[in-house]
């Protein structure tokens, strides 16, 4: 098994919900300007922090002008502070690779926002251990609602791993084909990547019907922190749409968290009738 670190984009797994902001009502509504942080620290990748702003949900709400590319965003590792380099659109990166991302190490984030200091901290989890996949290939028919295939679907594919401390894991599945054939005929997806829910178990079962494409698929098992699990589950919920999501950012919103992953591969073969 090899490790990959290109599975998390600012969205897959966790798009930020645009929520109603606090405001004062005079002739217009002025929304409180709150920074939103998004950073996933992963061994083998440069540290990158995305800073945006909590968005208005009403056309009458306004935000003061702000240049998001002139903040001083710093990260502390092993007692030393490093200033990240702005690379555009509110994104700051350790472009020189000076900050190592090391398992079981702590990282601090800090930058000024108006009169407040925005801070956060996280730990880098250990790499998943004892990882195995119950099958490396499965065969199934394409699902056509006008002509449903007969017979049963394949059994779930099980990812097994060591989890003696009941920490959090989730799995994502991404098709690697350049011209993929959908499992559900004529289906299109806003997000081509499927993600399981976080678990503290030592297995994750992948329902074959949740796999979106035939061909070679990459399964990424992610060892995540509790704040990631909480944030993920809140984004999956539809019952709290008018509340701010949970966050581990002081004086802001969003997430600053560590992740460690391992990668497996599953081939999904299309059966013919």
């Amino acid at each position: 098994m090899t490790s990959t670190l290109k599975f998390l984009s600012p969205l897959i797994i966790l798009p930020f919900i645009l929520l109603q902001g606090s405001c004062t009502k005079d002739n217009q509504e002025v929304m409180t300007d709150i920074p939103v942080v998004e950073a996933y620290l992963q061994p083998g990748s440069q540290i990158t922090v995305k800073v945006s702003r909590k968005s208005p949900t009403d056309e009458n709400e306004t935000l003061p002008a702000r240049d998001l590319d002139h903040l001083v965003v710093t990260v502390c590792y092993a007692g030393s502070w490093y200033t990240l380099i702005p690379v555009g659109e509110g994104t700051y990166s350790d472009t020189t690779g000076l900050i190592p991302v090391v398992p079981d190490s702590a990282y601090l984030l800090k930058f000024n926002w108006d009169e407040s200091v925005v801070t956060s901290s996280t730990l880098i989890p250990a790499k998943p251990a004892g990882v195995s996949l119950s099958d490396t290939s499965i065969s199934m028919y394409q699902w056509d609602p006008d002509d449903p295939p007969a017979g049963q679907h394949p059994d779930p594919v099980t990812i097994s791993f060591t989890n003696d401390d009941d920490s959090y894991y989730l799995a994502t599945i991404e098709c690697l084909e350049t011209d993929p054939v959908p499992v559900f005929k004529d289906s299109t997806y806003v997000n081509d990547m499927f993600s399981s829910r976080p678990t503290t178990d030592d297995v994750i079962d992948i329902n074959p019907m949740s796999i979106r494409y035939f061909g070679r698929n990459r399964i990424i098992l992610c060892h995540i922190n509790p704040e990631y699990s909480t944030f993920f589950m809140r984004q999956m919920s539809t019952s709290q749409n008018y509340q701010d999501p949970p966050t581990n950012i002081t004086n802001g919103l969003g997430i600053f968290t560590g992740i460690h992953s391992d990668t497996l591969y599953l081939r999904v073969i299309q059966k013919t009738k």
Side-chain angles (χ1 to χ4, degrees):
M1 291 174 288
T2 59
S3 178
T4 183
L5 298 158
K6 296 182 179 180
F7 65 97
L8 292 169
S9 64
L11 75 248
I12 298 175
I13 41 165
L14 303 171
F16 285 106
I17 296 176
L18 303 182
L19 299 167
Q20 181 177 356
S22 302
C23 58
T24 58
K25 294 186 177 181
D26 293 310
N27 295 329
Q28 63 178 351
E29 297 179 349
V30 180
M31 181 177 170
T32 302
D33 193 13
I34 301 175
V36 179
V37 174
E38 189 173 11
Y40 308 96
L41 280 60
Q42 309 169 68
S45 292
Q46 294 176 347
I47 292 178
T48 297
V49 176
K50 170 71 174 176
V51 181
S52 58
R53 306 163 78 183
K54 185 176 178 180
S55 300
T57 57
D58 189 287
E59 62 182 8
N60 294 321
E61 294 176 339
T62 61
L63 283 171
R66 183 184 296 275
D67 186 350
L68 293 176
D69 291 329
H70 284 80
L71 302 171
V72 180
V73 178
T74 60
V75 170
C76 181
Y77 163 70
S80 297
W81 285 94
Y82 301 85
T83 300
L84 302 184
I85 305 300
V87 295
E89 299 183 346
T91 300
Y92 295 78
S93 182
D94 175 28
T95 57
T96 57
L98 291 177
I99 316 172
V101 182
V102 181
D104 301 319
S105 296
Y107 294 79
L108 308 177
L109 171 73
K110 183 171 69 173
F111 62 90
N112 292 328
W113 185 273
D114 293 334
E115 303 302 318
S116 299
V117 179
V118 179
T119 60
S120 188
S121 63
T122 192
L123 295 172
I124 308 301
K127 184 174 181 176
V131 182
S132 64
L133 196 62
S134 61
D135 297 279
T136 57
S137 67
I138 58 173
S139 298
M140 56 194 297
Y141 293 106
Q142 186 177 54
W143 181 264
D144 183 347
D146 297 326
D147 184 21
Q152 295 182 338
H153 300 303
D155 292 334
V157 176
T158 300
I159 309 168
S160 302
F161 46 92
T162 302
N163 190 14
D164 295 333
D165 59 355
D166 296 328
S167 55
Y168 288 93
Y169 290 81
L170 62 77
T172 63
I173 305 174
E174 178 185 23
C175 185
L176 300 178
E177 302 295 335
T178 56
D179 188 20
V181 176
V183 171
F184 290 85
K185 186 177 181 180
D186 299 327
S187 293
T188 58
Y189 300 97
V190 174
N191 187 343
D192 285 341
M193 183 174 288
F194 166 80
S195 180
S196 70
R197 291 174 176 266
T199 181
T200 56
D201 205 346
D202 58 1
V203 296
I204 295 176
D205 287 329
I206 304 297
N207 185 335
M209 299 309 293
S210 67
I211 298 172
R212 296 179 174 175
Y213 296 102
F214 293 103
R216 194 167 187 245
N217 285 262
R218 177 167 55 201
I219 299 177
I220 305 167
L221 178 65
C222 312
H223 190 183
I224 62 175
N225 285 317
E227 67 266 13
Y228 194 160
S229 175
T230 301
F231 191 84
F232 184 99
M233 295 307 296
R234 169 59 182 83
Q235 303 296 58
M236 295 285 287
S237 170
T238 58
S239 62
Q240 305 179 52
N241 286 342
Y242 299 103
Q243 299 181 21
D244 284 342
T247 180
N248 68 333
I249 309 296
T250 300
N251 294 321
L253 295 173
I255 188 167
F256 177 76
T257 190
I259 298 169
H260 211 162
S261 68
D262 200 359
T263 305
L264 309 101
Y265 295 92
L266 174 69
R267 187 170 295 279
V268 183
I269 302 168
Q270 182 177 0
K271 287 184 176 181
T272 57
K273 296 182 180 179

